[in-house]
Amino acid sequence: MLYDTTPTTTSTWNSTGTTVATGNGNANILNPYGVFVDDQYYIYVAEKENSRISKWPPNENGSASSAIFQTASGQIGKTPSLYVDSNTGDIYVADEPNQRVVRFPNGSTIGFTMASILLGTLPTVSGIYLDPNGTIFITDTGRNRIYNWLTNQSVVGGYGSGTNVNQLNQPKRFFIDKNYTFYVTDSGNSRIQKWLKGATSGQTVAGGFGSGSNANQLGGPLGVVVDSKGNVLVCDSNNHRVQMWRPGAVTGQTVAGNANGASGSSPMALNSPKGIAIDKSDNFYVADTSNLRIQKFSIL
């Protein structure tokens, strides 16, 4: 899913979520951590604690209680992140415990390790995204950077842990738009950093005022997406909410969950959300982890 995120006008979403995937409380059926939605609106879930990827059907108005595809047992470890190539249907997985990237060809339950000069060097593989050319980029949380999986070239960070504009602190997942701009969850700094293509430093586009639940703060952000109008949507995990920052804003707006950071299980609430995805129509989806469900928030 790749967007031209040139700012235009603002977006609004229904604050009441629709459950589009659930195991009805059974973690053996669905235990979501990361989520991705392809151009056909199929929902893919990284089930970290179940060590698998599952695929769920598009659901406009209701939930599905069983997956239509799952990767085979023993193929991956407890993976936090995935990416799906909408052109081929291939699934790319950040297999964090095994320090590798695994590709599942469309429809295959068996994965294949992607070659890299880093194999055997114990890189951190915690987030994954592909750019418009199909180049694989990975979050190396331990080295505080985003890097090219094939070449080991750092494209974001890599200057040690810190708060400077060229540094990151415990980065997690990230998003790439059609302009090759990176948006990174700089989790340890409670902020989102935007890095233009070829830049050696970033700018803060969300958070950056310490960890907390105020409108200008984030608490343990784990995921980020950007809609077609340039609005930044953050999975603010510790605050049980999704925060939106308009281009140039210094405070965020709660678009899912409780603004005060309280957890819950109602259609308007979230509980320890870990992942966020956006589809080509600008609907966004949340891996509502402790509620064992995927919630869809529809664009208005």
Side-chain angles (χ1 to χ4, degrees):
M1 187 67 57
L2 295 162
Y3 283 124
D4 179 352
T5 56
T6 302
T8 53
T9 58
T10 192
S11 303
T12 56
W13 291 267
N14 190 335
S15 61
T16 300
T18 300
T19 302
V20 292
T22 179
N24 294 312
N26 187 339
N28 293 321
I29 297 175
L30 178 65
N31 196 342
Y33 196 92
V35 61
F36 190 93
V37 180
D38 70 13
D39 286 347
Q40 289 73 47
Y41 302 97
Y42 284 95
I43 302 162
Y44 298 78
V45 183
E47 298 189 52
K48 185 176 181 179
E49 295 304 314
N50 288 336
S51 298
R52 71 186 180 204
I53 304 298
S54 57
K55 179 180 179 181
W56 298 71
N59 291 283
E60 277 296 319
N61 300 307
S63 65
S65 58
S66 61
I68 58 175
F69 168 87
Q70 292 177 345
T71 54
S73 177
Q75 292 297 299
I76 54 176
K78 294 184 177 182
T79 179
S81 181
L82 78 160
Y83 181 94
V84 180
D85 186 332
S86 288
N87 294 319
T88 65
D90 293 354
I91 302 170
Y92 295 82
V93 176
D95 188 9
E96 185 172 37
N98 297 309
Q99 297 94 30
R100 62 177 184 161
V101 172
V102 178
R103 180 177 68 90
F104 291 85
N106 189 3
S108 175
T109 62
I110 305 301
F112 302 89
T113 299
M114 300 292 292
S116 170
I117 63 174
L118 291 173
L119 285 176
T121 65
L122 301 180
T124 307
V125 182
S126 54
I128 186 168
Y129 215 89
L130 274 61
D131 76 4
N133 289 330
T135 304
I136 301 169
F137 291 93
I138 297 294
T139 309
D140 186 352
T141 301
R143 296 181 177 93
N144 297 293
R145 63 174 185 151
I146 309 294
Y147 66 97
N148 182 315
W149 174 249
L150 296 179
T151 67
N152 191 28
Q153 178 186 4
S154 296
V155 293
V156 174
Y159 298 99
S161 176
T163 60
N164 294 326
V165 293
N166 67 340
Q167 292 179 306
L168 301 170
N169 181 8
Q170 296 292 302
K172 301 299 183 182
R173 276 159 280 170
F174 60 99
F175 179 92
I176 307 174
D177 70 14
K178 285 186 176 179
N179 299 315
Y180 299 84
T181 301
F182 286 71
Y183 296 80
V184 182
T185 53
D186 188 12
S187 190
N189 288 324
S190 300
R191 66 186 184 183
I192 304 299
Q193 293 296 94
K194 176 182 177 180
W195 287 60
L196 300 176
K197 182 180 180 180
T200 57
S201 63
Q203 66 178 102
T204 302
V205 292
F209 295 95
S211 179
S213 60
N214 293 326
N216 66 344
Q217 294 178 305
L218 297 170
L222 289 180
V224 61
V225 294
V226 183
D227 75 3
S228 61
K229 296 179 175 62
N231 299 298
V232 177
L233 298 167
V234 185
C235 180
D236 190 13
S237 184
N238 291 345
N239 289 321
H240 314 288
R241 65 188 184 184
V242 173
Q243 292 290 94
M244 178 192 72
W245 262 262
R246 295 187 176 97
V250 294
T251 61
Q253 173 186 345
T254 302
V255 291
N258 293 309
N260 62 6
S263 64
S265 59
S266 76
M268 299 183 68
L270 300 169
N271 191 352
S272 298
K274 303 299 185 186
I276 187 170
I278 195 164
D279 68 25
K280 64 182 181 182
S281 300
D282 278 346
N283 307 299
F284 70 87
Y285 303 71
V286 179
D288 190 11
T289 301
S290 291
N291 286 324
L292 301 174
R293 65 187 182 182
I294 301 295
Q295 293 292 91
K296 175 184 177 182
F297 295 87
S298 298
I299 189 75
L300 298 176

